[in-house]
Amino acid sequence: MTDKTVKKVLLVGWDAADWKVITPLMDAGRMPNLQKFADGGVVGNLSTLYPVLSPMLWTSIATGKRAHKHGIHGFAEPDPESGGVRPVTSTGRSTKAIWNILNQNGMRSNVVGWWPSFPAEPINGVMVANNYQKAVGKLDEPWPMPQATVHPERLHEILKQLRVHPEEITPEQVLPFVPKAAEIDQDKDKRLWGIVKTLAECASVHAAATGIMQNETWDFMAVYYDAIDHFCHGHMRYHPPRLPWVDERDFELYKNVVDTAYIFHDMMLGTLMHLAGDDTTIIIVSDHGFHPDHLRPKELPNEPAGPAEEHRPFGIFAALGPGIKQDELVFGASLLDITPTILSLFGLPVGRDMDGKPLLGALVTPKVEYIDSWDRIDGDDGRYCRKMPASRVDESEALKQLAELGYIEDPAEAGAETTRNTVRELRYNLARDLFGARMYGEAIPMFRELWEENPDQSRFGLKLFDCYLSTGRLREARETLDKLIERKKTYSRKAQQAYEAALRDYEQQKRKIEDLDDASLRRLQKLHRNASTNEATLAYLRARLYQGEGKYRQALEQLDKASSIQVHNHPSLNQTRGEVLMAMGRWSEAIDTFDKILAMDPANPVAQLGLCRCHLARKGEADKALLAARRCLGLAYHNPRAHFLCGVALQRMNRAQEAKRAYETAIAQSPIFPAAHRRLARLYRLVFMEAEKANEHIALARAARKRIEAFQAGEYLPSHSDKPLEADTVASLSDLDCGSKLEYLPPLPNDSITIVSGLPRSGTSMMMQMLEAAGLPILSDGNRPADASNPLGYYEHEAIKKMARDSTWVEAARGKAVKIIAQLLPYLRAGEHYRIIFMERPLRQVIASQSDMLKRLGRNGSRLSSHRLAETYLKQIDGVRRTLESFESQPEILVVNFDQALSDPGKIAARVNRFLGGHLDESAMARAVSPNLRNHHAR
């Protein structure tokens, strides 16, 4: 551990805040508090992640990890208890947040409104969950606050009274946002009420935060405000300058909303700064920006999370106070870097499993230490332990596997269409996160399955097409495009028919287009756009495929066609055009094209990378190439291609040491990078004269090339984060095992319930056979007949599958043994006495046995790879352990190893008998174990 460099850290989250709006306001003197950060601290862009969805992003900010590691994948999630859908909760997070790490290090944290943070975690400090500020009903009606909204419970009533109801907002408080509010007919125009509601919720969060700051001690405090994002989604279209498609009357009414929202946040920031004091380091971040200019979209995609298209890929970073440099800019910052930076400020090591890095350029003392993972450090971390699952997508897939095996009720039957749609969107978001992390090997099967299941939703096919192009699998890309074209042709034909039908309808009504009312005109224009947009999309997709196939002339023709259909040249059209021109060696035209992109969007890292490649291709322009590469990295640091090209430019400038570091960074970000390995080998051989190192990188280059070729041939390419599963890895409750102190167990009550548990196919049926043979009564209904997978029977009871919502089986189980799979143990009814025999078996054997059983049943099971399914089981069992530890009366647990039971049944029978009171027939119990069970069919 390093020395603690700061006393306190305040992290302020402004959802969707953007320098493009802030800078003019600061220049006009209207945001004086944030101006202090620009003058006396460090500021810069903060690059976001794909997909740009706030719950995923704010969790990445709090953990330093991408969504496929932290487990939050969307706005909603399945509710395992009701079978329906609920807003995303903190229980879906599968890794420690910054406040959990600080909790383990004896520090006190206060967290207000973070998304998601319900149910509130029992940290050392205060947590106010993200549902705290949501008003229900009218002002004179009850406004209850759900349990688990606030921790500790002693603050529940106090903080409840600090909430602001929308009806408490006064006209004077609204007028700065909408000076002409009196002119609005609120029965017809609900936008003003939306402003009032957002303002009240924001005031509630601020009241809780300031109240806690004044009355509770803390080392770390995090406050999240979502108001800017809400104000922007509702009113950014009216932000000056007025765009041609914005109604002039609406513009005049609502043009002040966005600017006033930012000014309001600056006022609140001033209060936070005053309460925090000069000895506090303050960091302000946003998860993404929000287009305030000509890049504002006219319409949004008709799909879940479609409003995210309004987001800009760069949020804000601003830091001020002890440990922070003064009057500096930071480049290449990512929202993944926030938690590592805070850890460094506190003198704590950064986890190597974090995807971010400390922003050393912002720190006075740029020193950092590392540990493998904070998740492997035991101790009180303050997490909510009632149920700590794996990711909601993996959890859903694992539950599907259990349902297919017949061990729990089918979630699809228990839930509704909304639940299935929610799981679909979670899977889609996870696949997009994997795509953004360049983990194409895992993303491709997910996109492919989503499209097969939803053939009418081309968005899945489009992402699959992107994956195939990104990995050079051109044959599959063409097959995918052919399917997309056929389906889009059908859609375009229907859209054109609808447009023509609308025209005929208006003609029959003897109405001219110029005489149509606004609503009718907008409908007609939308129908026409639907028809033309599909043609432009198809032309663009053809161009990209031709580009991949090396047919550059045809690619340019399709790009020209797409440009002629679309009124505005989208940056992606010009980007592809620039890449095609580069491939044709038309460097000057390519440079002009990339300059055109940057004129439209100066903060476009992809265009800067294109300029870098152009300058590298021209003699004597390595310095220009280096400048463009560094500008790209200044916007998006996690870009292995940019680091590689930076190295090429440096090497040409004879700056070998810097080039070496650039290549090493490229490989660190993307280990399967043969060109970077070859460049390093060349440097080691010719410059550094280290033949052994050179040969090592030549071998790595060849291995990387083979992996890429195998993947292009259709084989699975594991990501660099995949680690092989050890042969003896088990999902166990060994931490709770009382096997070493059997003689100290209290007497077994007559009404005690003996539970045999574990993962399916871990030996639970075998243990039930042993207990039955030993004379212990069994609770089993016999509904599931014996088969090839379990020749002696399953020993199940149908009611157990529904125990998450029905515990009436308990009465019949007293004094008997019952089989319950591990994933259902968190739903044990309180007030009973349980003793649990937990079967453990190597996960490789468990999953292989499950796979064999599913084949015999003719079912598919989960869509997870064996590796990911094993990881999910490990996380599920860890969640079960945490839940059992939280029980007021913790059950005694005996862990039994499946292989040991087979090899020495007498010894295991003796241990089980002592565990259950010593009155069972050990010899009969041991004889019940058949050596023939040592195969995948055994249970």
Side-chain angles (χ1 to χ4, degrees), residues 869-889:
L869 184 60
E871 286 185 331
T872 302
Y873 283 154
L874 286 169
K875 291 176 180 177
Q876 286 179 331
I877 299 306
D878 184 57
V880 170
R881 176 181 64 80
R882 289 175 172 276
T883 302
L884 294 178
E885 286 178 324
S886 73
F887 281 10
E888 186 173 341
S889 178

Side-chain angles (χ1 to χ4, degrees), residues 766 770 841 845 896-906 908 929-935 938:
M766 179 187 73
M770 294 172 67
R841 185 183 185 185
Q845 295 179 28
V896 174
N897 183 275
F898 175 75
D899 289 336
Q900 291 177 7
L902 292 178
S903 62
D904 195 348
I908 295 300
V929 178
S930 170
N932 295 329
L933 291 174
R934 184 179 285 281
N935 53 50

Side-chain angles (χ1 to χ4, degrees), residues 716-735:
Y716 171 68
L717 180 65
S719 71
H720 65 269
S721 64
D722 278 351
K723 295 180 180 177
L725 193 68
E726 298 293 336
D728 59 350
T729 300
V730 295
S732 179
L733 297 179
S734 56
D735 290 352

Side-chain angles (χ1 to χ4, degrees), residues 99-163:
W99 46 84
N100 303 122
I101 297 171
L102 298 179
N103 203 94
Q104 286 186 281
N105 286 274
M107 285 185 251
R108 188 176 177 86
S109 299
N110 297 335
V111 182
V112 180
W114 209 263
W115 196 9
S117 56
F118 179 83
E121 297 173 62
I123 57 174
N124 178 23
V126 179
M127 180 168 283
V128 179
N130 59 292
N131 64 333
Y132 165 78
Q133 67 271 25
K134 307 298 181 184
V136 293
K138 296 184 178 297
L139 182 61
D140 57 355
E141 296 176 349
W143 183 8
M145 192 164 75
Q147 292 300 311
T149 298
V150 170
H151 168 82
E153 182 65 24
R154 64 179 173 81
L155 296 178
H156 183 96
E157 287 301 319
I158 296 172
L159 290 172
K160 181 179 177 181
Q161 301 304 318
L162 293 181
R163 296 175 302 172

Side-chain angles (χ1 to χ4, degrees), residues 180 193 211 327 440 572 588 595 625 717 728 733 789 812 884 900:
K180 298 181 180 180
W193 176 250
D327 194 19
Y440 304 116
S572 59
S588 295
D595 284 339
L717 180 65
D728 59 350
L733 297 179
S789 297
L884 294 178
Q900 291 177 7

Side-chain angles (χ1 to χ4, degrees), residues 56-93:
M56 300 168 70
L57 301 179
W58 287 104
T59 307
S60 289
I61 290 171
T63 62
K65 297 179 180 180
R66 288 180 175 270
H68 66 270
K69 291 183 181 178
H70 66 54
I72 300 298
H73 300 143
F75 294 90
E77 64 187 21
D79 185 339
E81 296 188 13
S82 71
V85 172
R86 65 187 182 193
V88 62
T89 65
S90 61
T91 60
R93 198 184 70 241

